[in-house]
Amino acid sequence: MSPTLPKIECHINVDSCEANAASLLANKSGLSKQQIKQAMTKGAVWHTRKHNTSRLRRGKKSLKVGDELHLYYNQEVLEHQIDDAELIADMGQYSLWYKPYGMLCQGSKWGDHTTINRYSETHLTPDRPAFIVHRLDRAATGLVLIGHSKSITAALAKLFELRELDKYYQVIVEGRFNSGREEVVTVDSDVDNKSACSHAKLLEYDAKQNRSLVQVKIDSGRKHQIRIHMASLGHPVVGDRLHGIASGSDINLQLTSCYLKFPCPVTGEINEFELPERLRPKL
């Protein structure tokens, strides 16, 4: 049996301004200052001042009496590694990225170094804050919009809310999709008791594998909507362990966000982005 990796949680009420955060947390937790600093970089340390709590990245940040420090150290989380994201377009006040398999759209108290927004913060030039506009499942891949100010992020999120943004996905599903039926199959069954509508059409079929490449447009954005709707048609998405049947060889979920079209919140012009062919699912 492999040894259990360290998991430490501690909280400090600052009663002196003489010591810095890294020293205080090292003394309290028994970890080294280097371990604390690495945890800070990866988003596992939090700082509270009055009613404001945020991640603390710098060990030498000035502290005030009454501040609070919070450490959520999980070595397994902090050691987790993922593939790099890829910048598709930098529009200044927002950017578009390719999110690889395993990268998250939301961090936790234990860290945020494997999130797409943190990746964009540390890889854009010039540096900018990064805010999530919409989400893709951890197992899904493809286009993700990132806002670089709260106002632009809110404006982009509103486009999703009002369905003023066109998007489609490509998935690989089990079986021959839509054999002998109309070109587009529409599914409008509820997801989690909420209305949901998906439109799917066959792009390519591989008889040897008995799998189909399918394009899906969604009118709504419910959690796992495409996966649930494809499974309901008897064509589960390859690699979907929750709603389908994933064999040992199908490591990654074959669901990719490939296309976004929306009015730019800065200029009003219509922007259209397509994922490069090399990053799309292949039969």
Side-chain angles (χ1 to χ4, degrees):
M1 182 179 294
S2 59
T4 302
L5 295 174
K7 187 175 181 180
I8 300 169
E9 181 175 340
C10 68
H11 309 275
I12 297 174
N13 291 315
V14 178
D15 56 13
S16 171
C17 300
E18 294 180 3
N20 61 44
S23 298
L24 288 171
L25 288 168
N27 291 336
K28 177 78 171 181
S29 66
L31 297 168
S32 69
K33 286 186 181 179
Q34 185 62 28
Q35 287 175 305
I36 296 296
K37 289 177 181 177
Q38 289 177 348
M40 287 180 170
T41 300
K42 294 183 176 182
V45 176
W46 296 74
H47 172 243
T48 298
R49 179 169 292 167
K50 295 183 178 179
H51 301 295
N52 182 47
T53 298
S54 58
R55 296 187 199 271
L56 179 60
R57 308 282 185 187
R58 296 184 295 109
K60 294 185 177 180
K61 177 181 172 67
S62 60
L63 300 174
K64 294 183 178 181
V65 173
D67 287 359
E68 297 174 12
L69 297 172
H70 313 277
L71 171 67
Y72 301 97
Y73 187 94
N74 185 325
Q75 189 172 329
E76 184 176 359
V77 171
L78 297 176
E79 288 182 355
H80 186 61
Q81 296 182 347
I82 52 171
D83 293 337
D84 291 342
E86 184 173 325
L87 180 63
I88 301 299
D90 185 352
M91 308 302 289
Q93 296 193 53
Y94 58 95
S95 55
L96 198 73
W97 296 79
Y98 168 74
K99 185 192 85 66
Y101 174 84
M103 184 169 276
L104 304 172
C105 285
Q106 184 173 0
S108 71
K109 66 181 182 180
W110 303 97
D112 67 348
H113 68 292
T114 58
T115 63
I116 183 68
N117 54 315
R118 181 60 181 161
Y119 187 92
S120 66
E121 282 181 342
T122 56
H123 287 80
L124 276 176
T125 303
D127 294 346
R128 278 155 277 174
F131 304 98
I132 289 294
V133 175
H134 62 117
R135 290 173 171 80
L136 283 181
D137 292 345
R138 173 187 172 278
T141 61
L143 296 175
V144 173
L145 267 173
I146 297 291
H148 299 302
S149 71
K150 291 185 177 180
S151 60
I152 289 297
T153 301
L156 290 169
K158 196 72 174 178
L159 296 176
F160 281 86
E161 180 184 341
L162 298 177
R163 302 178 185 176
E164 295 179 356
L165 182 147
D166 291 334
K167 55 186 179 295
Y168 70 69
Y169 302 76
Q170 287 184 2
V171 296
I172 295 176
V173 301
E174 302 287 359
R176 178 159 192 158
F177 183 79
N178 197 23
S179 177
R181 293 182 288 173
E182 65 275 10
E183 181 183 356
V184 177
V185 176
T186 296
V187 186
D188 59 2
S189 55
D190 290 358
V191 174
D192 292 333
N193 297 317
K194 296 179 180 178
S195 61
C197 188
S198 305
H199 310 279
K201 68 176 182 179
L202 177 68
L203 297 179
E204 186 181 347
Y205 174 65
D206 186 319
K208 185 176 181 180
Q209 298 184 80
N210 191 27
R211 289 176 175 173
S212 301
L213 177 64
V214 177
Q215 181 170 297
V216 185
K217 293 188 69 175
I218 59 175
D219 293 341
S220 44
R222 310 305 181 195
K223 185 176 182 180
H224 294 176
Q225 176 177 326
I226 293 175
R227 296 160 68 174
I228 291 170
H229 280 174
M230 292 300 99
S232 74
L233 294 173
H235 299 285
V237 177
V238 172
D240 187 350
R241 290 164 176 78
L242 184 59
H243 305 285
I245 301 173
S247 67
S249 62
D250 298 320
I251 298 173
N252 296 353
L253 179 73
Q254 297 300 301
L255 189 158
T256 302
S257 170
C258 293
Y259 175 86
L260 288 173
K261 180 180 179 181
F262 57 92
C264 174
V266 181
T267 66
E269 297 178 356
I270 300 298
N271 283 335
E272 193 171 10
F273 300 100
E274 289 193 82
L275 193 67
E277 192 65 32
R278 61 184 172 81
L279 296 174
R280 297 184 179 214
K282 301 289 191 302
L283 280 172

